C-alpha cells in the first residue's frame, strides 16, 4: 500500500497495531530511571541477562549469545514477554516487534521527494515549484543541522503555497526566525512569524535585518555571476576575468558576522560548516532522564506563558510592539519580508486580530514544542483562511494528556494527546516517562551518541543513599545537573546532599564509596534497560504522530493528509511532518 493512499481506516488499523505492542512494552518506557535500584527494576521486567540484551541491541556486536533457557518461566510470549509474569524472555522477538511497529515498519510515511512529486503531479505540466527569488546558501548563516531542516522544509512549504495558490505563510513558534527569513528571502513569500517569547521575537527581527544584508550581497553576486557567464560564453575559450573584489555590502556581511558572535541570542555566522555548529539545548536541570541526554538528542523548548498569566501591562506592550513592527515593515516598503509577532497561540487564537493583512495562508511549525504542535493542527482545521499545514513537533514530554491515570494535566479537550476522536474514544494515554522516552533518538543512540550512562547511574545510587540514610527520597528541591560539575561519585553525592539541604555529616567518604562499589557491577543492567527504552521510543513517537494524522483524516474538509519524513534522522531526530491540505477553489487536489 502506498503511504499516500492510506485511508482513515488504514491509519486506525495501524494505531491498533501499535497500541497492542505498547500494551505489553509501555511499562518499560514508564519505569523511572531514578528508582532503578530502589525498585529493583531489572528483576521486575527482565528474565534475561543484561549481556544478552546488549549483545542483541548492539550493531555488529562480536558477542553473539544464545538466549538462556528458563525452564521456570511459561513458554507463551507476546513480543518476547512472558504472558504470565510480564517479564522479557526473548530479546530478539522484542526487537523485531519494535521495528515492525515503528513508523518505517508500518509503512505509513512518504518521503519528501515522493510528496513533492505527488504534489506537482496535481499541477499542469507547465507548472513548477515557486520561483526562487535568490539562491541562498543556508549554511552561511545557520549551523549544519538547522540548515538541513530549513532548506528541506522550505521547499515543501513553498510547494504547498504554490499548490494552494497563496503567498502568505504563518510560522507558529517561529523562535529565532530561521525558517521564516529563508522562506521570505528565497521564495519571496510573505511570512508572519509568531512566538510567545518577546526575546525570540526581538532576536528574530535583528537577525532578519542582518540576513537582508546577505540577501543584497547574494543578489549582486548572482548578477555579477550571470554577467561573467555571458562574457565567458561570448569569448569562448578566452581566459575568464578574476573575481570581483569585495564591495561595501560584502564588508558589511563580514562585520555582521563578527557582530553576531558578540550579541547574545544571535547566531554565529560563518562560512565554515564546522564553525557554524553549536549546541542548541542546555540540559534540563529538573529532569534527570533528559539531563542525562546529549544536547543533540532533544529539540530545545521555548518557554511559553499563557495569556491568562500575562499582566495587562505586558499584553498592551506586546500589542504595541506588534503594531510598531508592522508599521516599520510598511515604511521599509518590503511586502515580502519576515514579520515577527509576539503572542501565545492556541487553537482559539483569532489570527486576524494578530495579522490585519491576513489572506489565505499556509500554517507551518518547525519543531513546535509540546501542545503547540496539536494546537497548530486544531487551528488549521478551525480556520477557513488556512489552506494547508506542515507541522513538525518535538518535546513530547511537554504534552498534556487527558487520560493519564497519574493525574490529568487538563480536564478539557485542549490537551495535546489524544487529538483524534478515535483515540479519545479509547481513553488512550502514554504516561510522562514514556513521553520522555519518545524524545530519544534511536539512530543516534545506536551510533553511541545520546545517553550519558554514568550520570544516570550516579543518580540511581544516590536514590538508594537517600532511602537508606534520610528516611525519604522526596524533596521540594531537585538534584538537577550536579553531575556536570562533579569530579567523582563522592563529589557528586556531597554536592547533591548540599543542594537538597541534607546533613552530609551522616555519611563518611568510605560509606559513600561503598555504595558506588556495591552497585557498579550492576551498571550494565541500567545500560541494557535504557537501550530497551530507546528501542521503544520510535513506537511511542509513532503513536503520537499517527494520532495527529488520524485527526486530520477525520475532518471532512481536509482533502489530503500524510506523514512525510522531511529530515535525515541522524541530523534531526524529530524528522516527521504532519501535512494537510484543504480543497482549493481554484484547483481541487486528486490526492
Amino acid at each position: 500500500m502506498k503511504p499516500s493512499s492510506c485511508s482513515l481506516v488504514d491509519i486506525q488499523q495501524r494505531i491498533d497495531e501499535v497500541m497492542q505492542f505498547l500494551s505489553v512494552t509501555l511499562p518499560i518506557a514508564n519505569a523511572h530511571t531514578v528508582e532503578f535500584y530502589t525498585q529493583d527494576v531489572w528483576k521486575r521486567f527482565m528474565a534475561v541477562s543484561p549481556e544478552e540484551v546488549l549483545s542483541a541491541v548492539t550493531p555488529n556486536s562480536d558477542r553473539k549469545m544464545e538466549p538462556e533457557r528458563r525452564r521456570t518461566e511459561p513458554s507463551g510470549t507476546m513480543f518476547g514477554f512472558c504472558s504470565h509474569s510480564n517479564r522479557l524472555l526473548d530479546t530478539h522477538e522484542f526487537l523485531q516487534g519494535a521495528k515492525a511497529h515503528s513508523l518505517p515498519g508500518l509503512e505509513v510515511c512518504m518521503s519528501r521527494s515522493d510528496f513533492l512529486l505527488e504534489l506537482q503531479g496535481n499541477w499542469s505540466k507547465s507548472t513548477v515549484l515557486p520561483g526562487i527569488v535568490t539562491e541562498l546558501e543556508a549554511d552561511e548563516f545557520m549551523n549544519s543541522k538547522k540548515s538541513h531542516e530549513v532548506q528541506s522544509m522550505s521547499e515543501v512549504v513553498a510547494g504547498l503555497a504554490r499548490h494552494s495558490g497563496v503567498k502568505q505563510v504563518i510560522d507558529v513558534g517561529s523562535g529565532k526566525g530561521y525558517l521564516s527569513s529563508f522562506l521570505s528571502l528565497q521564495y519571496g513569500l510573505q511570512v508572519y512569524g509568531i512566538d510567545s517569547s518577546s526575546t525570540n521575537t526581538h532576536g528574530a527581527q535583528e537577525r532578519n535585518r542582518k540576513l537582508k544584508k546577505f540577501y543584497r550581497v547574494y543578489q549582486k553576486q548572482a548578477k555579477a555571476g550571470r554577467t561573467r557567464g555571458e562574457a565567458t560564453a561570448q569569448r569562448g575559450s578566452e581566459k575568464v576575468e578574476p573575481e570581483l573584489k569585495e564591495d561595501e555590502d560584502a564588508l558589511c556581511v563580514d562585520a555582521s558576522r563578527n557582530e553576531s558572535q558578540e550579541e547574545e541570542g544571535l547566531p554565529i555566522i560563518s562560512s565554515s560548516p564546522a564553525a557554524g555548529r553549536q549546541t542548541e539545548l542546555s540540559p534540563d536541570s529538573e529532569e534527570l532522564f533528559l539531563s542525562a541526554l546529549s544536547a543533540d538528542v532533544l529539540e530545545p523548548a521555548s518557554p511559553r506563558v499563557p495569556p491568562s498569566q500575562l499582566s495587562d501591562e505586558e499584553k498592551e506592550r506586546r500589542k504595541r510592539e506588534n503594531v510598531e513592527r508592522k508599521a516599520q515593515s510598511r515604511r521599509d516598503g518590503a511586502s515580502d519580508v519576515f514579520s515577527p509577532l509576539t503572542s501565545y497561540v492556541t487553537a482559539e487564537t483569532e489570527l486576524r486580530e494578530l495579522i490585519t493583512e491576513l489572506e489565505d495562508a499556509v500554517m507551518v511549525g518547525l519543531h513546535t514544542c509540546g501542545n503547540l504542535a496539536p494546537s497548530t493542527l486544531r487551528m488549521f482545521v478551525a480556520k477557513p483562511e488556512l489552506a494547508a499545514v506542515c507541522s513538525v513537533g518535538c518535546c513530547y514530554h511537554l504534552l498534556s494528556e487527558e487520560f493519564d491515570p497519574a493525574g490529568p494535566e487538563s480536564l478539557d479537550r485542549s490537551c495535546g494527546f489524544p487529538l483524534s476522536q478515535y483515540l479519545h474514544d479509547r481513553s488512550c494515554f502514554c504516561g510522562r516517562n514514556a513521553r520522555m522516552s519518545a524524545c530519544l533518538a534511536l539512530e543516534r543512540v545506536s551510533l553511541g551518541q545520546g545517553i550519558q550512562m554514568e550520570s544516570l547511574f550516579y543518580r540511581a545510587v544516590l536514590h538508594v543513599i537517600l532511602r537508606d540514610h534520610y528516611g525519604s527520597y522526596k524533596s521540594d528541591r531537585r538534584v538537577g545537573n550536579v553531575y556536570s560539575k562533579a569530579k567523582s561519585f563522592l563529589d557528586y553525592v556531597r554536592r547533591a546532599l548540599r543542594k537538597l539541604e541534607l546533613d552530609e555529616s551522616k555519611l563518611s567518604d568510605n560509606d559513600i564509596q561503598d555504595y558506588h562499589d556495591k552497585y557498579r557491577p550492576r551498571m550494565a543492567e541500567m545500560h541494557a534497560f535504557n537501550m530497551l527504552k530507546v528501542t521503544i521510543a520510535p513506537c511511542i513517537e509513532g503513536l503520537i504522530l499517527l494520532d495527529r494524522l488520524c485527526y486530520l483524516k477525520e475532518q471532512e474538509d481536509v482533502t489530503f493528509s500524510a506523514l512525510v519524513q522531511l529530515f535525515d534522522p541522524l541530523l534531526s531526530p524529530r524528522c516527521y511532518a504532519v501535512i494537510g491540505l484543504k480543497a482549493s477553489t481554484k484547483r481541487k487536489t486528486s490526492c
Side-chain angles (χ1 to χ4, degrees):
M1 178 190 302
K2 287 180 59 179
S4 60
S5 66
C6 289
S7 66
L8 173 60
V9 173
D10 295 327
I11 297 303
Q12 290 172 343
Q13 289 176 348
R14 297 296 192 278
I15 288 175
D16 289 342
E17 293 170 11
V18 177
M19 287 181 65
Q20 184 181 26
F21 175 74
L22 291 178
S23 68
V24 178
T25 61
L26 201 61
I28 288 181
N30 273 317
H32 208 305
T33 310
V34 168
E35 300 172 339
F36 190 80
Y37 297 120
T38 57
Q39 299 293 326
D40 207 356
V41 170
W42 183 264
K43 185 176 292 186
R44 280 172 54 200
F45 293 105
M46 301 291 117
V48 295
S49 68
E51 291 76 19
E52 182 178 328
V53 172
L54 291 173
S55 176
V57 300
T58 304
N60 303 320
S61 174
D62 294 331
R63 300 177 298 170
K64 298 299 181 183
M65 302 179 62
E66 293 294 328
E68 300 175 356
R69 296 191 178 187
R70 290 162 292 275
R71 298 178 181 177
T72 57
E73 296 284 1
S75 58
T77 62
M78 177 178 287
F79 303 118
F81 284 79
C82 173
S83 302
H84 176 70
S85 67
N86 297 323
R87 299 170 74 203
L88 182 64
L89 294 171
D90 191 330
T91 305
H92 291 284
E93 186 180 344
F94 164 79
L95 295 176
Q96 290 172 358
K99 183 177 181 180
H101 293 90
S102 64
L103 288 177
L106 294 169
E107 298 182 345
V108 293
C109 295
M110 300 180 70
S111 68
R112 190 177 71 94
S113 58
D114 285 346
F115 173 73
L116 288 172
L117 286 173
E118 183 152 344
L119 199 62
Q120 286 178 287
N122 293 299
W123 305 338
S124 64
K125 293 183 178 179
S126 60
T127 305
V128 294
L129 284 173
I132 295 177
V133 177
T134 300
E135 187 75 45
L136 300 178
E137 296 293 336
D139 55 7
E140 287 286 334
F141 48 89
M142 306 177 202
N143 63 38
S144 57
K145 174 180 179 292
K146 187 60 66 177
S147 172
H148 169 67
E149 294 167 350
V150 166
Q151 291 187 87
S152 298
M153 189 166 182
S154 63
E155 186 178 6
V156 170
V157 173
L160 290 171
R162 179 66 184 86
H163 178 275
S164 303
V166 303
K167 294 186 177 180
Q168 289 188 351
V169 174
I170 301 174
D171 184 2
V172 179
S174 54
K176 297 179 180 180
Y178 288 119
L179 177 64
S180 297
S181 296
F182 197 82
L183 284 168
S184 66
L185 295 177
Q186 172 114 338
Y187 291 100
L189 293 166
Q190 186 175 5
V191 185
Y192 297 93
I194 305 175
D195 196 273
S196 64
S197 168
S198 58
T199 301
N200 279 344
T201 303
H202 285 300
Q205 189 175 30
E206 177 63 13
R207 189 171 292 102
N208 189 66
R209 179 184 67 80
K210 293 182 178 182
L211 291 182
K212 287 166 68 177
K213 291 183 179 180
F214 276 100
Y215 176 73
R216 291 195 297 271
V217 172
Y218 277 112
Q219 284 182 316
K220 290 186 177 182
Q221 290 177 343
K223 182 178 180 180
R226 287 193 298 270
T227 302
R228 289 196 302 273
E230 293 170 358
T232 301
Q234 292 176 357
R235 291 195 300 269
S237 59
E238 292 181 14
K239 184 178 180 181
V240 180
E241 292 297 319
E243 294 288 331
L244 296 176
K245 293 183 179 180
E246 294 179 332
D247 59 14
E248 183 177 352
D249 278 332
L251 294 175
C252 287
V253 171
D254 289 334
S256 70
R257 288 178 178 174
N258 296 330
E259 184 181 355
S260 295
Q261 292 176 346
E262 296 174 356
E263 293 187 34
E264 182 178 357
L266 296 178
I268 297 176
I269 302 176
S270 171
S271 60
S272 168
R277 298 188 185 98
Q278 59 188 25
T279 300
E280 296 189 5
L281 178 67
S282 299
D284 184 347
S285 62
E286 295 186 354
E287 299 293 350
L288 171 73
F289 195 60
L290 296 183
S291 68
L293 303 178
S294 296
D296 56 7
V297 175
L298 299 171
E299 300 299 334
S302 300
R304 303 180 69 227
V305 181
S308 60
Q309 297 180 17
L310 295 175
S311 64
D312 292 339
E313 182 180 350
E314 174 65 13
K315 291 178 181 177
E316 184 61 30
R317 186 185 67 80
R318 291 188 176 191
K319 183 177 180 180
R320 185 171 60 253
E321 287 180 351
N322 290 338
V323 172
E324 291 173 354
R325 289 192 192 96
K326 293 176 185 177
Q328 183 61 47
S329 295
R330 286 192 290 268
R331 287 195 296 270
D332 291 342
S335 61
D336 59 344
V337 298
F338 161 42
S339 302
L341 305 170
T342 303
S343 178
Y344 181 90
V345 177
T346 68
E348 289 73 36
T349 299
E350 289 297 334
L351 294 175
R352 294 192 184 278
E353 293 182 2
L354 287 174
I355 308 169
T356 55
E357 305 89 350
L358 181 63
E359 301 171 0
D360 287 354
V362 176
M363 176 161 280
V364 303
L366 174 54
H367 291 148
T368 46
C369 297
N371 287 346
L372 184 55
S375 290
T376 300
L377 299 180
R378 285 191 175 106
M379 214 179 315
F380 164 67
V381 169
K383 312 295 182 185
E385 61 267 29
L386 298 179
V389 66
C390 181
S391 171
V392 181
C394 70
C395 302
Y396 302 125
H397 60 293
L398 298 179
L399 280 173
S400 59
E401 292 195 75
E402 187 172 355
F403 300 108
D404 189 345
E409 299 173 27
S410 178
L411 297 177
D412 57 30
R413 289 297 304 274
S414 64
C415 287
F417 184 85
L419 185 62
S420 68
Q421 188 63 45
Y422 187 73
L423 282 182
H424 186 269
D425 291 343
R426 284 154 181 75
S427 302
C428 183
F429 73 94
C430 294
R432 178 169 175 78
N433 288 339
R435 286 183 279 111
M436 289 170 65
S437 298
C439 296
L440 291 166
L442 175 60
E443 292 82 5
R444 288 183 174 182
V445 175
S446 297
L447 295 178
Q449 306 173 28
I451 299 182
Q452 300 171 359
M453 195 54 58
E454 188 176 63
S455 66
L456 294 175
F457 171 72
Y458 278 13
R459 182 62 182 88
V461 178
L462 173 65
H463 208 57
V464 178
I465 293 175
L466 296 177
R467 178 196 65 184
D468 292 350
H469 294 274
Y470 295 92
S472 172
Y473 31 92
K474 297 291 183 182
S475 172
D476 292 335
R477 293 178 173 269
R478 294 181 180 271
V479 174
N481 193 25
V482 172
Y483 174 80
S484 64
K485 304 173 184 178
K487 299 177 180 179
S488 64
F489 178 73
L490 175 61
D491 186 30
Y492 172 87
V493 173
R494 293 295 185 197
R495 287 175 178 270
L497 292 176
R498 288 194 293 270
K499 188 169 183 178
L500 295 173
E501 297 183 348
L502 296 174
D503 182 9
E504 60 178 303
S505 65
K506 287 185 175 183
L507 295 168
S508 67
D509 290 353
N510 287 336
D511 292 335
I512 295 174
Q513 191 61 40
D514 285 345
Y515 275 96
H516 175 276
D517 296 343
K518 176 182 178 181
Y519 286 96
R520 184 63 180 81
R522 296 181 59 187
M523 188 173 175
E525 295 177 358
M526 177 174 285
H527 186 190
F529 193 83
N530 279 290
M531 289 303 293
L532 294 179
K533 275 193 169 189
V534 171
T535 304
I536 300 172
C539 305
I540 303 170
E541 179 182 34
L543 179 64
I544 293 171
L545 294 180
L546 285 172
D547 171 55
R548 296 174 184 178
L549 178 60
C550 184
Y551 171 74
L552 290 186
K553 290 192 176 294
E554 291 172 344
Q555 313 306 317
E556 292 183 0
D557 60 341
V558 177
T559 58
F560 173 81
S561 55
L563 282 176
V564 180
Q565 182 175 334
L566 293 188
F567 313 133
D568 179 346
L570 284 175
L571 285 174
S572 182
R574 308 281 76 80
C575 60
Y576 295 104
V578 180
I579 293 179
L581 283 161
K582 293 176 184 174
S584 171
T585 55
K586 297 179 180 179
R587 181 188 295 109
K588 294 212 175 206
T589 176
S590 62
C591 293

